[in-house]
Amino acid sequence: MTVVLARLDQRLVHGIVVNQWAAEVQPKRYMVIDDAVSQDEDVKASMRLSKPAGTGMSIINTEKALTNFKAGKYDAQRVFVIAKEPSTMLKLLDAGIEIPRVDIGIIFAEDGRTQISKFVSVNQQEVADFKELEKRGVPVNIRYVPADSPEPFDKAIAGKDIK
């Protein structure tokens, strides 16, 4: 199994992910891990329409992702993991799945989150989860598109009063 990149983006699969990131990451499989979206056939169908030719796409819940990884289903593939919550990445790590880095694309400024960059807002739990990822040796950067310079998460939150 080769996770080549894990991305946090509340929009999950969209044009920037399948166009700009595809060239950068060259995935063989896009893996969307989201418990709610995995149950919504209409949303899944629309996401699959954007899948680049020659790639696979899984839109599955966390439990199914862990089961598939542990079973070696993706061992020979370059997997681009996309989720909405940093806690999903922690669950992957807890299951022994290696993540080389986490890039944060968009986290909406809703539900009382504090804005830390143009496209990223976080709450205290998300900050704790991102810090835990870093503590476990996974670099976390804010990076909207591949051409952007990675902005380290810890610098983005420095001096901010996260609610």
Side-chain angles (χ1 to χ4, degrees), residues 101-104 130 133-134 138-142 151-154:
R101 75 176 201 261
V102 172
D103 283 354
I104 308 169
F130 285 127
L133 286 166
E134 290 177 325
V138 179
V140 177
N141 295 294
I142 295 173
E151 179 183 3
F153 180 75
D154 60 343

Side-chain angles (χ1 to χ4, degrees), residues 125-144:
Q125 183 59 57
E126 289 160 337
V127 169
D129 289 346
F130 285 127
K131 286 182 176 182
E132 180 63 23
L133 286 166
E134 290 177 325
K135 181 179 167 188
R136 295 188 194 189
V138 179
V140 177
N141 295 294
I142 295 173
R143 196 165 172 214
Y144 182 62

Side-chain angles (χ1 to χ4, degrees), residues 2-163:
T2 306
V3 173
V4 293
L5 177 64
R7 179 174 174 87
L8 267 287
D9 193 320
Q10 290 191 325
R11 298 174 304 163
L12 298 171
V13 174
H14 53 87
I16 289 171
V17 168
V18 296
N19 293 317
Q20 295 184 40
W21 284 102
E24 173 88 3
V25 179
Q26 298 179 348
K28 187 68 178 160
R29 173 164 303 280
Y30 291 84
M31 179 179 287
V32 175
I33 304 173
D34 187 274
D35 294 345
V37 171
S38 69
Q39 303 304 309
D40 189 326
E41 293 304 321
D42 291 335
V43 173
K44 287 169 47 173
S46 67
M47 284 187 190
R48 285 192 181 104
L49 289 174
S50 67
K51 179 184 74 67
T55 64
M57 183 176 287
S58 300
I59 304 168
I60 54 182
N61 64 35
T62 307
E63 182 180 331
K64 180 78 169 170
L66 296 174
T67 299
N68 287 353
F69 271 121
K70 288 178 184 177
K73 187 171 181 177
Y74 311 115
D75 285 355
Q77 297 182 31
R78 294 176 56 84
V79 179
F80 182 4
V81 172
I82 307 159
K84 291 182 182 180
E85 301 293 332
S87 59
T88 302
M89 303 308 171
L90 289 171
K91 291 173 186 171
L92 293 174
L93 287 176
D94 289 344
I97 297 147
E98 293 181 31
I99 298 173
R101 75 176 201 261
V102 172
D103 283 354
I104 308 169
I106 289 187
I107 301 178
F108 297 123
E110 61 187 11
D111 301 326
R113 288 186 174 99
T114 301
Q115 187 170 3
I116 60 169
S117 77
K118 184 176 181 179
F119 298 114
V120 177
S121 298
V122 293
N123 60 35
Q124 289 178 345
Q125 183 59 57
E126 289 160 337
V127 169
D129 289 346
F130 285 127
K131 286 182 176 182
E132 180 63 23
L133 286 166
E134 290 177 325
K135 181 179 167 188
R136 295 188 194 189
V138 179
V140 177
N141 295 294
I142 295 173
R143 196 165 172 214
Y144 182 62
V145 295
D148 289 347
S149 295
E151 179 183 3
F153 180 75
D154 60 343
K155 288 185 180 180
I157 62 169
K160 301 246 177 20
D161 182 26
I162 308 297
K163 306 214 187 305

